[in-house]
Amino acid sequence: MRKKPRFHSLKKLKIRQDWSRWSLYSIARLAQPNTISRTYFQQKWTAKSDTRAYHGEQIREKKWKRLFKRSLPAVVPMDHRYLARHDGSEQAAGRGAGVDEEGKKQTPRMTPYMQMTYYPIERRLDSAIFRSLFASSVRQARQFVVHGLVTVNGKKIPYPGYMLNPGDMFQVDTESVMFATGAQKIRSSVARKIAAEKKAARGDTSGSAPAPREPTIAELISQSTTTSETPSHTSLKTQLQTLMENVEDVLGTEVSAKDKQKFREFRQNVKKAISLWKTASPESVTTLDAQFTFLQDQLAAKRDPSSTQPADTSLSQDDAAKLKKAFERLKQQAEYDAQWNKRDASRPYLTPWRPRDFMSAFAFIPRYLEVNQNICAAVYLRHPVARPGLAEVPTPFPYETGQLAFNWYLRRR
Amino acid sequence: MPPRLHSPNLASALTSCTSAWSQCIAQPTRISREFSQTSCQQVTARRRRFYEWINGPGAALRQPLPGSTNYLGAYDRYGNLVRASPGYQRRSKDQPKTEGEESKPDDTEAKAEEEEAPSGQDTIDELEMAVRRDEESARKTKSKEDAQRLAPETAEDLRPFPQNKFFRSQRVLSEDLREAIYQRVTKDGVTVSLASVEFGVSNERVGAVVRLKQVEKEWVAQGKKLALPYAKAVLDMLPTTPYVDPSLPENKGKRPITHEAINDLIVHPATRQQLFVPVAESRQFTRVDAGKAFDNNLLPADDRIPHPELVLAEREMATGLSFEERRRLAEERLAAEQEKKRREEEARLAELRAQKVVPKRRWDFVFKDVSVEHAGKDGRGVKGVGWRYGMPHEDRKKGQVKIPTKVKA
């Protein structure tokens, strides 16, 4: 049997959809196709084989042939001021092709249709994941999908060939994204342990890293954040309760002795408000801001019937400030927790996290995707289009190669 | 399978062949690996060249450039950053960057994009503003670090694939801008199209940003861990559109930087062909007529762009209507639109109410009115329900794809 060719071969340089140094090298070595000494068929064949090694290399040729479309999408940016002031008849003025204006002859830029040959592949779920920088190669993106780490509109879709529709939101597990895009771990934990033991045996203490210091905020409210998979009604409530318990710790140091009484009252009120939590529907209290306004409303409602003293209004303002502060703390803490890029041997990637080598050379997000990196989710806005001077399908090949590849698939059609 | 050997009879057969054949097989003899199947273990010339490139010109691409993009197109073949001034030295990672450096590339880069982006929104005064802003910041930060500072990226520098002249890394929304869009839409209750015009971001993108931000806020409320180190690193590598906060005193009079062209007209398939339509010279042949000539149902560009209300407003201004008049007309339009939206929503709710839902332990049963006629003549109509006698399902046939074509949001 013939030996399967290498995926990254230096003998036959092929560009692959991944962030490897071989791909980078191949992109750097890429040249214009030889159109002088080769037949048209040879040129087309080479163009097809080179582009297919990059675009949808994981798809069988027959499947791609069925996906191929000869009509390629394009848009033209319009100026609304021009549209408002002209009705189009000026283009037929003069002798039928518009009145000549001296010096203002400006030919519109070419729309690179031929770089759009592979636009149907960009619609695939695995390609879209790779294009939104959630995986370091299409094959890895495909694996994420198959392993059930990807949801489309909140539903698990295990099909890498799922064709995204405009408006679909896909989400990848954040840990997997960090693993895919992060620098690789050099050694296993066992090997690192052995190395540490050896170092200890040698009595070498100079190289040991100082233990990372836990932040104070994280210590204070570490109990308040519990990772809950299901955003349920009760979990929100319990979370708020723990928060309120911690409010005392957080604010107790800052509150002077005179305010202690006020503060105790405030806590009781908050507790009452929390007990009223059930009246709220889970949709209305999903975000922190919503939670905050809900609590504020509840407090105000509590206070209104019993408002006998004028001091109460100022107190409620005080309370509101405190509550706001507590929520700010919670928010900060959540951010801090994630941002504090701590060393963690249990992670499958190198910690503290840093992007993998050569990632920056491949880091671009095409305009047909809108990505939120914080939650590792993206929305497929529309199909990729060509516009004057710009094609949205990311392809490393020159325009001539694109033309030849398009012509290869055009035949018999 | 046994290893491939040079068969002696093949060689003998070839000796009797023509001279052209013998030329083909004339190869330099390899002494050491006559029977070996493993590929060459020594360092080949190709591999040496590869490592030379990776450790030489390619070494600059290994780590991201702090505060800038780092694409292959920004380097020459010897690995020198083209836009760097002669005294430029690449900073190490831990070295802190100055504030002037951080803010500078964004502004000027926006200007560079503005010049070439054929957006419907880009205006002369915005360009001027950006230029003035540039000069100001340049004067502010004109110091000893002149040589250290990187010039903003040109279109050439934003090319990840140097051979493809028609692709470049386009800017993405910065974190502040996303937050601002979310606040504008949710807190101020602004319509999507208005927010789109205000921020210079397309309609779909505004919707997507709000949707994603909503999920992000829910995650924060639930205490889920965000991928912040990743987000920070990625946004640092990408060119971003900065947010011009109008509430800040130093941004007074500045307009938001346009992110993308918002009035994109889709090229209709009917307009792909070339038409020759003889028209009387006396006739006023407008866009509407041109559309009709291509296809009877093809609307003119004024109605097919995403923001036709901008054209209307501009047209009213051109006709010389007073401000009050224009405002009244705009309000009328808005009211009509809201009325239409309300009616659609009502119809949707009425349809939902008409359904009978029986909740069960695991699934809810939903009863809908269907017609037998939906199955059609051949019993395979898309809207048809149930199974018809004598019409076997096709879903077990060869070549039937089971991948869903849509997922309900």
Side-chain angles (χ1 to χ4, degrees):
Chain A
M1 209 177 105
R2 192 169 147 257
K3 206 176 127 199
K4 216 180 161 196
R6 274 172 183 272
F7 192 64
H8 291 294
S9 163
L10 289 177
K11 204 180 269 182
K12 270 189 185 172
L13 280 180
K14 295 274 190 224
I15 305 171
R16 305 286 183 182
Q17 275 192 345
D18 58 17
W19 301 345
S20 67
R21 50 202 169 145
W22 298 287
S23 289
L24 194 62
Y25 178 63
S26 317
I27 293 169
R29 292 291 298 270
L30 191 66
Q32 293 279 332
N34 177 7
T35 51
I36 298 160
S37 61
R38 308 186 75 205
T39 65
Y40 188 44
F41 182 87
Q42 284 172 336
Q43 291 174 32
K44 282 197 291 185
W45 174 276
T46 316
K48 179 222 86 176
S49 104
D50 284 352
T51 49
R52 279 284 285 138
Y54 181 76
H55 292 284
E57 157 272 321
Q58 79 280 20
I59 315 169
R60 276 178 294 127
E61 182 67 8
K62 200 168 222 174
K63 216 169 168 193
W64 155 240
K65 270 188 188 162
R66 292 172 68 93
L67 277 179
F68 174 78
K69 288 195 197 82
R70 52 176 295 167
S71 63
L72 302 169
V75 295
V76 184
M78 302 301 280
D79 186 5
H80 67 272
R81 277 182 229 93
Y82 177 82
L83 287 180
R85 279 158 211 274
H86 303 272
D87 65 350
S89 59
E90 80 287 347
Q91 292 195 1
R95 296 174 69 183
V99 176
D100 282 342
E101 281 178 50
E102 274 168 38
K104 272 196 77 181
K105 199 73 183 163
Q106 200 180 29
T107 49
R109 278 180 296 173
M110 192 245 288
T111 306
Y113 280 102
M114 290 296 105
Q115 297 288 56
M116 299 288 296
T117 310
Y118 291 99
Y119 91 94
I121 287 181
E122 301 301 313
R123 225 185 126 180
R124 285 171 59 97
L125 183 56
D126 51 358
S127 286
I129 288 169
F130 173 70
R131 294 297 184 204
S132 12
L133 309 180
F134 293 153
S136 63
S137 69
V138 191
R139 289 198 168 245
Q140 193 176 35
R142 187 188 163 86
Q143 193 187 37
F144 285 169
V145 179
V146 169
H147 288 194
L149 303 169
V150 179
T151 58
V152 177
N153 288 337
K155 194 173 182 301
K156 189 175 96 181
I157 292 286
Y159 311 108
Y162 172 72
M163 288 298 197
L164 289 164
N165 296 314
D168 272 355
M169 182 170 99
F170 55 93
Q171 202 160 5
V172 189
D173 179 38
T174 49
E175 273 302 298
S176 309
V177 170
M178 303 262 282
F179 164 68
T181 58
Q184 283 139 317
K185 231 177 193 178
I186 307 146
R187 287 182 300 187
S188 68
S189 59
V190 179
R192 210 178 299 118
K193 210 176 277 173
I194 291 167
E197 276 169 12
K198 272 186 185 165
K199 196 178 256 180
R202 259 186 279 126
D204 179 21
T205 51
S206 60
S208 62
R213 202 183 60 83
E214 278 281 332
T216 49
I217 301 171
E219 274 171 8
L220 279 172
I221 333 179
S222 56
Q223 295 90 11
S224 66
T225 46
T226 49
T227 43
S228 53
E229 273 70 43
T230 49
S232 75
H233 190 88
T234 44
S235 73
L236 282 175
K237 187 187 158 190
T238 48
Q239 200 182 331
L240 256 290
Q241 277 172 339
T242 45
L243 166 75
M244 280 307 133
E245 279 161 23
N246 289 322
V247 160
E248 191 171 25
D249 302 335
V250 176
L251 300 178
T253 53
E254 293 154 24
V255 174
S256 64
K258 276 191 178 179
D259 294 335
K260 279 271 160 87
Q261 203 179 350
K262 278 184 188 175
F263 183 63
R264 233 171 276 135
E265 196 187 344
F266 160 68
R267 264 197 62 204
Q268 277 181 351
N269 279 324
V270 170
K271 269 185 182 167
K272 275 175 201 161
I274 286 172
S275 68
L276 283 171
W277 196 250
K278 281 222 169 79
T279 58
S281 60
E283 290 86 39
S284 66
V285 290
T286 42
T287 66
L288 268 188
D289 302 332
Q291 283 173 18
F292 174 64
T293 45
F294 172 77
L295 274 188
Q296 211 171 20
D297 290 349
Q298 292 297 332
L299 274 177
K302 277 268 112 190
R303 203 159 289 283
D304 273 335
S306 64
S307 63
T308 48
Q309 299 156 347
D312 270 6
T313 50
S314 69
L315 193 68
S316 76
Q317 292 238 331
D318 224 25
D319 290 349
K322 271 174 197 159
L323 201 56
K324 183 99 188 153
K325 213 170 173 184
F327 272 100
E328 285 296 311
R329 288 273 171 139
L330 185 69
K331 204 170 176 177
Q332 268 178 14
Q333 196 262 333
E335 268 168 27
Y336 198 86
D337 248 13
Q339 207 160 25
W340 198 53
N341 206 346
K342 56 179 169 253
R343 184 159 301 176
D344 187 354
S346 66
R347 300 271 168 244
Y349 44 84
L350 187 71
T351 45
W353 188 91
R354 64 174 175 81
R356 64 164 52 213
D357 284 354
F358 301 111
M359 179 180 171
S360 62
F362 296 99
F364 54 82
I365 295 176
R367 280 271 163 93
Y368 55 86
L369 293 166
E370 174 58 36
V371 185
N372 191 328
Q373 283 87 10
N374 289 328
I375 52 173
C376 294
V379 174
Y380 183 78
L381 298 178
R382 53 183 166 79
H383 301 315
V385 290
R387 58 180 71 238
L390 203 71
E392 281 188 351
V393 173
T395 175
F397 303 100
Y399 191 73
E400 291 76 14
T401 306
Q403 268 178 326
L404 290 165
F406 184 75
N407 273 299
W408 171 270
Y409 288 109
L410 210 53
R411 63 177 193 170
R412 291 189 226 109
R413 269 166 227 269
Chain B
M1 194 173 167
R4 269 185 301 178
L5 301 174
H6 258 315
S7 67
N9 52 2
L10 176 72
S12 65
L14 279 171
T15 47
S16 62
C17 221
T18 54
S19 62
W21 272 89
S22 58
Q23 268 175 11
C24 289
I25 52 159
Q27 280 175 350
T29 47
R30 289 180 300 178
I31 304 131
S32 60
R33 305 191 296 112
E34 197 58 37
F35 298 103
S36 170
Q37 275 234 317
T38 53
S39 52
C40 188
Q41 296 294 315
Q42 292 138 5
V43 177
T44 60
R46 289 194 197 91
R47 198 172 302 176
R48 201 180 55 240
R49 273 202 297 275
F50 167 69
Y51 279 108
E52 264 169 19
W53 187 85
I54 273 293
N55 297 325
L61 297 158
R62 193 177 284 269
Q63 301 295 335
L65 210 57
S68 158
T69 56
N70 194 25
Y71 296 122
L72 198 54
Y75 293 89
D76 63 3
R77 52 191 294 221
Y78 305 108
N80 303 316
L81 197 57
V82 176
R83 71 195 143 108
S85 45
Y88 172 76
Q89 286 233 318
R90 205 180 151 126
R91 270 179 315 217
S92 60
K93 218 168 46 171
D94 43 79
Q95 222 168 319
K97 45 187 169 180
T98 56
E99 298 212 354
E101 266 172 301
E102 252 185 43
S103 62
K104 179 101 193 302
D106 282 346
D107 285 1
T108 36
E109 179 197 315
K111 192 203 75 181
E113 180 104 344
E114 208 74 8
E115 277 170 354
E116 64 202 329
S119 65
Q121 292 298 296
D122 90 326
T123 48
I124 306 295
D125 47 348
E126 187 154 4
L127 276 181
E128 276 177 6
M129 207 64 87
V131 170
R132 219 175 301 148
R133 224 180 298 155
D134 269 336
E135 284 170 356
E136 221 169 275
S137 59
R139 229 180 297 127
K140 235 184 281 170
T141 52
K142 190 166 267 185
S143 59
K144 65 224 174 274
E145 292 205 37
D146 247 3
Q148 273 301 302
R149 196 172 44 230
L150 268 182
E153 293 105 327
T154 57
E156 191 93 3
D157 295 327
L158 289 172
R159 231 177 249 167
F161 307 122
Q163 285 290 329
N164 186 355
K165 304 244 175 329
F166 299 102
F167 180 77
R168 62 164 186 273
S169 171
Q170 288 174 290
R171 289 179 291 150
V172 298
L173 301 176
S174 62
E175 201 67 66
D176 302 337
L177 188 51
R178 282 183 213 162
E179 183 63 34
I181 291 171
Y182 175 77
Q183 294 297 346
R184 191 88 177 100
V185 174
T186 52
K187 282 274 160 60
D188 307 348
V190 160
T191 60
V192 168
S193 61
L194 184 55
S196 157
V197 175
E198 272 180 10
F199 291 102
V201 173
S202 73
N203 277 336
E204 311 97 74
R205 201 177 297 280
V206 170
V209 163
V210 172
R211 199 170 154 198
L212 291 166
K213 262 283 167 206
Q214 181 71 24
V215 176
E216 188 188 326
K217 304 237 164 206
E218 283 176 21
W219 275 36
V220 171
Q222 290 162 24
K224 272 196 190 173
K225 201 174 165 188
L226 304 178
L228 281 176
Y230 165 75
K232 228 167 143 269
V234 168
L235 285 178
D236 221 30
M237 286 177 206
L238 294 168
T240 52
T241 308
Y243 172 52
V244 180
D245 191 355
S247 64
L248 293 177
E250 69 261 27
N251 286 336
K252 201 141 202 181
K254 277 184 195 173
R255 299 254 299 278
I257 293 165
T258 312
H259 178 67
E260 59 191 333
I262 56 171
N263 267 333
D264 276 345
L265 179 72
I266 295 167
V267 175
H268 194 274
T271 60
R272 287 264 162 77
Q273 53 177 328
Q274 200 172 6
L275 272 192
F276 291 95
V277 183
V279 174
E281 231 176 84
S282 57
R283 189 176 155 202
Q284 183 90 343
F285 194 76
T286 60
R287 270 196 296 273
V288 183
D289 301 321
K292 288 256 173 61
F294 279 115
D295 191 304
N296 272 330
N297 299 324
L298 185 59
L299 294 172
D302 320 38
D303 300 328
R304 288 176 54 222
I305 56 175
H307 290 283
E309 76 276 2
L310 286 181
V311 178
L312 282 178
E314 192 70 26
R315 202 167 280 158
E316 279 160 12
M317 206 189 276
T319 50
L321 290 176
S322 70
F323 178 73
E324 294 302 319
E325 193 79 351
R326 275 187 285 139
R327 186 173 177 174
R328 190 180 56 75
L329 284 171
E331 274 167 3
E332 265 174 27
R333 274 202 299 273
L334 190 70
E337 195 180 313
Q338 276 173 351
E339 175 67 16
K340 194 180 158 214
K341 208 175 271 176
R342 193 183 57 79
R343 252 183 284 128
E344 274 171 11
E345 182 69 16
E346 255 177 26
R348 197 180 63 82
L349 287 178
E351 198 182 342
L352 275 182
R353 258 181 270 120
Q355 288 174 358
K356 193 186 168 198
V357 181
V358 180
K360 286 285 174 194
R361 189 172 58 86
R362 191 161 171 198
W363 309 106
D364 292 351
F365 290 108
V366 179
F367 292 93
K368 277 189 212 167
D369 281 341
V370 290
S371 168
V372 187
E373 304 303 320
H374 284 163
K377 260 183 191 162
D378 63 347
R380 297 203 198 281
V382 184
K383 287 170 88 183
V385 178
W387 181 75
R388 290 197 135 199
Y389 186 73
M391 276 294 166
H393 284 315
E394 287 187 333
D395 55 356
R396 296 292 183 97
K397 268 191 174 175
K398 194 182 163 197
Q400 296 287 328
V401 182
K402 300 289 188 56
I403 300 175
T405 51
K406 59 172 178 285
V407 182
K408 252 176 92 180

